Each structure stands twice: as C-alpha cells, then as structure tokens.
C-alpha cells in the first residue's frame, strides 16, 4: 500500500511540474525550471515503476 501512495505522489508532482503555471509568471528561467522538474519526476516515476517489485 505504501508503494501506491508513493507512486501517487510522484504522479501528482509530475502533473504539477508539467503544467504551465510557472510560465504564467514573468520569471526568468521559469521554463527551464519547469522542464527540469518534469525530467526529474519523469525519470523518478519510471524508476519507481520499474523497481515496483522490490518494494512489495
């Protein structure tokens, strides 16, 4: 059950990082920051998905 919650947290953070909310502010480097967040959570989500049997 803990893996489900961990995967859900990664999924929610991935959705947050993929939204253009940061782009609505005129902050320099917000697009790069948004893409870096997306990359981190995308890779983290795949690692969690591939290592799923290790947690159960």
């Amino acid at each position: 059950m803990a893996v489900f919650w961990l995967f859900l947290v990664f999924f929610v953070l991935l959705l947050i990082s993929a939204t253009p909310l940061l782009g609505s502010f005129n902050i320099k480097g917000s697009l790069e920051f948004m893409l870096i967040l997306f990359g981190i959570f995308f890779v983290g989500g795949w690692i969690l998905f591939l290592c799923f049997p290790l947690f159960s």
Side-chain angles (χ1 to χ4, degrees):
M1 189 66 173
V3 177
F4 171 74
W5 289 111
L6 187 60
F7 191 76
L8 184 66
V9 167
F10 265 99
F11 183 72
V12 168
L13 291 174
L14 177 66
L15 287 178
I16 290 171
S17 65
T19 58
L21 291 175
L22 290 174
S24 65
F25 303 110
N26 288 328
I27 301 172
K28 184 178 179 181
S30 63
L31 178 63
E32 291 84 9
F33 182 68
M34 184 175 61
L35 291 175
I36 289 170
L37 274 180
F38 179 80
I40 288 171
F41 291 116
F42 183 78
V43 171
W46 270 106
I47 290 172
L48 182 65
F49 177 72
L50 293 176
C51 296
F52 184 78
L54 298 176
F55 294 103
S56 59

